[in-house]
Amino acid sequence: MKIFIDSADVTEIRDAVSLGVVDGVTTNPSLVAKTGRPLAAVIREICEIVDGPISAEVIATDAQGMIREARELAAIHPNVVIKVPLIAEGLRAIKSLISEGIRANATLCFSAPQALLAAKAGARYISPFLGRIDDVGGDGLELISQIVTIYRNYEYSTEVLAASIRHPVHLVRCAELGADVCTIPYKVILQLLSHPLTDVGLSKFLKDAKKTP
Ligand code: E4P
């Protein structure tokens, strides 16, 4: 399974990359706004840090506007993938971007039919937001399971990029279900590593090592 970091903060992206487990990055307009920097500058810097797919999101809501923004973002670096919202205009934009060789990540996916249409339009990634589904009393993992099954049934090449991951169990279940990628906030990447028995065991080994003549 590939692990992407869900962040626009270059300091935490650098820290996560130094762990050697980061395959790519996803951003969204809210994450970029938190940095107080222009989108293009943030994406350019991330591309220098990570050699993998970097998702940058358009903010236009009409296909022509999305395509214009996508071209500008894609020109920053060949690793840039364009995040397009899963609305009718988004599907139109995805189809056209593919003909230009620009990869798309269909974002804000909350249902299996949306995911099926994104695959048919040729999206490179589908981003189901499982944490946000859980937040409103739904079952985000069930959606991951449905999408993985549907894509396997018809051999769609669109990769399932599980997003809105809130805790380690989300990642483990996504891995069991066969999601291709999980995009995870830095805080959760660190939680994946943490185990109290590791800390207790390490502290005892270090204490005992001092007794070695
Ligand atoms: C996905 O690419 C989004 O950036 C992200 O995972 C949304 O997560 P949130 O629901 O924690 O904002």
Side-chain angles (χ1 to χ4, degrees), residues 52-69:
I54 314 294
S55 285
E57 189 158 344
V58 295
I59 51 169
T61 52
D62 63 295
Q64 281 317 312
M66 290 176 187
I67 293 163
R68 262 195 308 276
E69 286 177 35

Side-chain angles (χ1 to χ4, degrees), residues 71-89:
R71 285 178 184 145
E72 284 173 20
L73 291 167
I76 294 174
H77 195 282
N79 284 345
V80 172
V81 176
I82 306 302
K83 253 175 138 178
V84 175
L86 251 175
I87 56 177
E89 289 295 286

Side-chain angles (χ1 to χ4, degrees), residues 8-83:
D9 177 330
V10 291
T11 305
E12 65 180 22
I13 292 173
R14 268 199 194 90
D15 286 352
V17 165
S18 71
L19 297 173
V21 298
V22 171
D23 301 297
V25 181
T26 52
T27 66
N28 65 41
S30 308
L31 293 170
V32 174
K34 274 197 223 163
T35 69
R37 301 173 63 199
L39 172 62
V42 171
I43 297 299
R44 194 167 293 114
E45 192 169 349
I46 295 174
C47 289
E48 284 165 12
I49 303 169
V50 180
D51 184 19
I54 314 294
S55 285
E57 189 158 344
V58 295
I59 51 169
T61 52
D62 63 295
Q64 281 317 312
M66 290 176 187
I67 293 163
R68 262 195 308 276
E69 286 177 35
R71 285 178 184 145
E72 284 173 20
L73 291 167
I76 294 174
H77 195 282
N79 284 345
V80 172
V81 176
I82 306 302
K83 253 175 138 178

Side-chain angles (χ1 to χ4, degrees), residues 6 26-28 31 83 129 132 163-164 166 183:
D6 195 29
T26 52
T27 66
N28 65 41
L31 293 170
K83 253 175 138 178
F129 279 34
R132 293 194 194 185
S164 189
R166 299 278 162 78
T183 189

Side-chain angles (χ1 to χ4, degrees), residues 78-159:
N79 284 345
V80 172
V81 176
I82 306 302
K83 253 175 138 178
V84 175
L86 251 175
I87 56 177
E89 289 295 286
L91 284 189
R92 292 186 183 105
I94 289 171
K95 198 133 198 69
S96 166
L97 291 175
I98 288 160
S99 67
E100 298 183 25
I102 298 175
R103 293 173 298 170
N105 173 351
T107 189
L108 290 168
C109 172
F110 293 96
S111 77
Q114 285 180 316
L116 180 57
L117 293 183
K120 288 189 72 69
R124 180 78 177 82
Y125 299 97
I126 181 74
S127 287
F129 279 34
L130 66 111
R132 293 194 194 185
I133 293 173
D134 291 358
D135 289 344
V136 295
D139 185 347
L141 287 165
E142 175 57 24
L143 176 60
I144 301 293
S145 167
Q146 287 178 318
I147 298 173
V148 168
T149 303
I150 291 167
Y151 283 9
R152 279 199 192 136
N153 284 350
Y154 297 99
E155 297 179 356
Y156 287 120
S157 56
T158 304
E159 291 190 47

